[in-house]
């Protein structure tokens, strides 16, 4: 194994009590698995190597109490660096750090901190101050922890505000959705009522048309019956008229018979018969009574001829 990875090193040979010195080993990465197998090594020195970053599983080394990462090329610390809750002494001198992770505020046991010679954010650099002696390094640890706790609180507050805003937005969306659903229900209800009213009007119209048709049919039936009943009265005058004609014909026939009888009694040998004698006598009496009426006299003369 290469020396740069640290896996070729015999860590047990470098372990002195609870101190493990891996400084000046030209390490490019931290042998986390081998370090995790040595929980007795609570003091770890990784200074003066070529470390650019720490792996995320480095934060599983929760047994560390003192950690020296000075004089490397670290640009940032893992986001969950605060999991190293037993850490009391941290040396980050001469790296390339600009900021610290928010989880740094969880290092409640941190008593000593050196952040000199890093391109720190101006605010963080002012908070950290110098670490020229033991007292300043201890003050730096206290101030930086307070600063990171304030940042964490502010981020928590912002996160809570964001969550609250999201909840309010969700409630607003739910309210809008409920209002929309209510509006849709009301619209469907109105459309259903309109459809029902339309069908009712159609039903009323059909019923009215049916009644009108029945009334018209009934009226036509009545009109059809009336001519039949009204045709009968004219038949009565026609019947009477035919009777009058029949009577007139009978009278004419009787008159014709009388004339024929007169002619027979006047012109034939029957004039000496008793019946003809009576008829001739009656005829002469009637003619004598009506002889002043010229028209009848002319007619009688015409008939006699």
């Amino acid at each position: 194994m290469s020396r740069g990875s640290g896996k070729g090193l015999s860590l047990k040979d470098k372990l002195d009590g609870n101190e493990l010195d891996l400084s000046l080993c030209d390490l490019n990465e931290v042998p986390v698995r081998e370090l995790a197998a040595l929980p007795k090594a609570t003091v770890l020195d990784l200074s003066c190597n070529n470390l650019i970053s720490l792996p995320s599983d480095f934060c599983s080394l929760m047994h560390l109490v003192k950690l020296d990462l000075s004089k490397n090329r670290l640009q940032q610390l893992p986001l969950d660096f605060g999991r190293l809750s037993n850490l009391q002494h941290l040396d980050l001198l001469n790296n390339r750090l600009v900021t610290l992770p928010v989880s740094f505020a969880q290092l409640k046991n941190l008593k000593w901190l050196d952040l000199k010679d890093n391109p720190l954010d101006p605010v963080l650099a002012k908070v950290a101050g110098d670490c020229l002696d033991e007292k300043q390094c201890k003050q730096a640890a206290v101030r930086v922890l307070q600063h990171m706790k304030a940042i964490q609180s502010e981020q928590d507050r912002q996160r809570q505000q964001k969550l609250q805003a999201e909840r309010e937005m969700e409630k607003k969306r739910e309210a809008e959705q409920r209002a929309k659903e209510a509006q849709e229900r009301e619209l469907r209800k109105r459309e259903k009522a309109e459809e029902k009213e339309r069908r009712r009007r159609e039903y009323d119209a059909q019923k009215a048309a049916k009644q009108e048709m029945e009334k018209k049919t009934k009226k036509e039936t009545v009109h059809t019956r009336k001519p039949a009943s009204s045709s009968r009265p004219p038949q009565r005058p026609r019947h009477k008229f035919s009777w009058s004609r029949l009577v007139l014909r009978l009278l004419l026939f009787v008159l014709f018979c009388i004339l024929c009888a007169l002619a027979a009694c006047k012109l034939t040998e029957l004039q000496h018969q008793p019946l003809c004698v009576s008829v001739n006598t009656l005829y002469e009496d009637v003619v004598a009574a009506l002889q002043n009426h010229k028209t009848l006299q002319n007619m009688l003369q015409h008939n006699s001829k």
Side-chain angles (χ1 to χ4, degrees):
M1 294 185 182
S2 65
R3 181 178 176 83
S5 65
K7 295 182 181 179
L9 298 175
S10 177
L11 299 185
K12 290 183 179 181
D13 294 339
K14 290 184 173 292
L15 183 61
D16 184 9
N18 65 339
E19 296 184 7
L20 180 61
D21 187 1
L22 297 180
S23 63
L24 300 170
C25 292
D26 196 25
L27 296 176
N28 293 320
E29 55 185 55
V30 180
V32 177
R33 183 176 300 177
E34 288 79 0
L35 292 174
L38 298 173
K40 290 176 58 179
T42 58
V43 178
L44 178 61
D45 188 354
L46 291 171
S47 62
C48 302
N49 283 291
N50 297 318
L51 300 176
I52 297 176
S53 63
L54 299 177
S56 58
D57 57 350
F58 181 84
C59 301
S60 64
L61 304 176
M62 299 174 62
H63 59 278
L64 294 178
V65 175
K66 183 177 180 179
L67 178 61
D68 189 351
L69 292 169
S70 62
K71 298 181 181 179
N72 280 281
R73 294 183 293 169
L74 295 173
Q75 298 179 1
Q76 61 182 9
L77 298 179
L79 294 178
D80 54 350
F81 192 80
R83 291 177 57 194
L84 302 175
S85 56
N86 292 316
L87 197 61
Q88 299 179 14
H89 184 109
L90 179 60
D91 193 346
L92 294 171
L93 172 71
N94 195 8
N95 278 279
R96 299 179 182 179
L97 297 172
V98 177
T99 60
L100 298 175
V102 178
S103 65
F104 200 91
Q106 300 173 11
L107 301 176
K108 297 179 181 180
N109 294 315
L110 189 63
K111 301 294 189 297
W112 195 97
L113 177 63
D114 189 357
L115 287 172
K116 290 193 310 297
D117 299 331
N118 281 281
L120 296 174
D121 177 78
V123 176
L124 180 59
K126 183 178 180 180
V127 170
D130 293 328
C131 183
L132 302 176
D133 53 32
E134 189 76 11
K135 182 179 179 180
Q136 289 183 347
C137 292
K138 289 182 177 180
Q139 291 176 349
V142 173
R143 289 195 298 267
V144 170
L145 283 178
Q146 291 177 348
H147 176 69
M148 297 311 296
K149 286 180 181 178
I151 292 177
Q152 186 180 41
S153 298
E154 180 63 21
Q155 287 188 356
D156 291 342
R157 187 183 65 82
Q158 291 179 357
R159 185 164 52 251
Q160 289 296 328
Q161 288 181 347
K162 184 178 180 181
L163 290 175
Q164 183 67 22
E166 289 177 354
R167 283 195 291 267
E168 291 178 356
M169 185 62 68
E170 183 66 22
K171 289 181 180 179
K172 184 178 180 181
R173 283 196 296 267
E174 291 177 356
E176 291 177 353
Q177 183 65 24
R178 287 194 297 269
K180 183 178 179 181
E181 291 175 355
Q183 186 176 3
E184 290 176 353
R185 285 195 300 271
E186 185 65 24
L187 180 60
R188 287 195 296 269
K189 185 177 179 181
R190 186 164 60 249
E191 290 177 351
K192 187 176 180 180
E194 291 176 354
E195 177 65 17
K196 186 176 181 180
E197 179 64 21
R198 184 185 65 80
R199 292 172 60 186
R200 188 187 64 79
R201 287 197 299 267
E202 289 180 355
Y203 174 78
D204 292 342
Q206 292 176 358
K207 186 176 181 181
K210 185 177 180 180
Q211 291 177 352
E212 184 66 23
M213 184 64 68
E214 291 177 353
K215 191 182 295 184
K216 185 176 180 181
T217 304
K218 187 176 181 181
K219 189 180 294 185
E220 289 178 354
T221 304
V222 172
H223 284 314
T224 305
R225 290 177 180 177
K226 280 184 178 181
S229 60
S230 61
S231 61
R232 292 176 183 176
Q235 289 178 359
R236 293 178 182 177
R238 187 179 301 172
H239 185 66
K240 291 180 179 181
F241 180 74
S242 62
W243 275 105
S244 60
R245 291 180 63 185
L246 181 59
V247 170
L248 181 59
R249 289 178 182 177
L250 288 174
L251 292 175
L252 291 175
F253 179 72
V254 170
L255 182 61
F256 177 74
C257 291
I258 292 172
L259 292 176
C260 290
L262 288 174
C265 289
K266 283 287 186 181
L267 301 176
T268 65
E269 297 177 351
L270 297 176
Q271 58 183 344
H272 301 291
Q273 295 293 330
L275 180 60
C276 287
V277 172
S278 299
V279 170
N280 290 330
T281 302
L282 179 61
Y283 173 73
E284 290 175 357
D285 292 338
V286 172
V287 171
L290 299 174
Q291 62 183 351
N292 293 328
H293 199 286
K294 294 181 180 182
T295 303
L296 183 59
Q297 186 178 5
N298 292 332
M299 187 182 69
L300 291 174
Q301 290 177 359
H302 178 72
N303 287 335
S304 63
K305 290 179 181 182

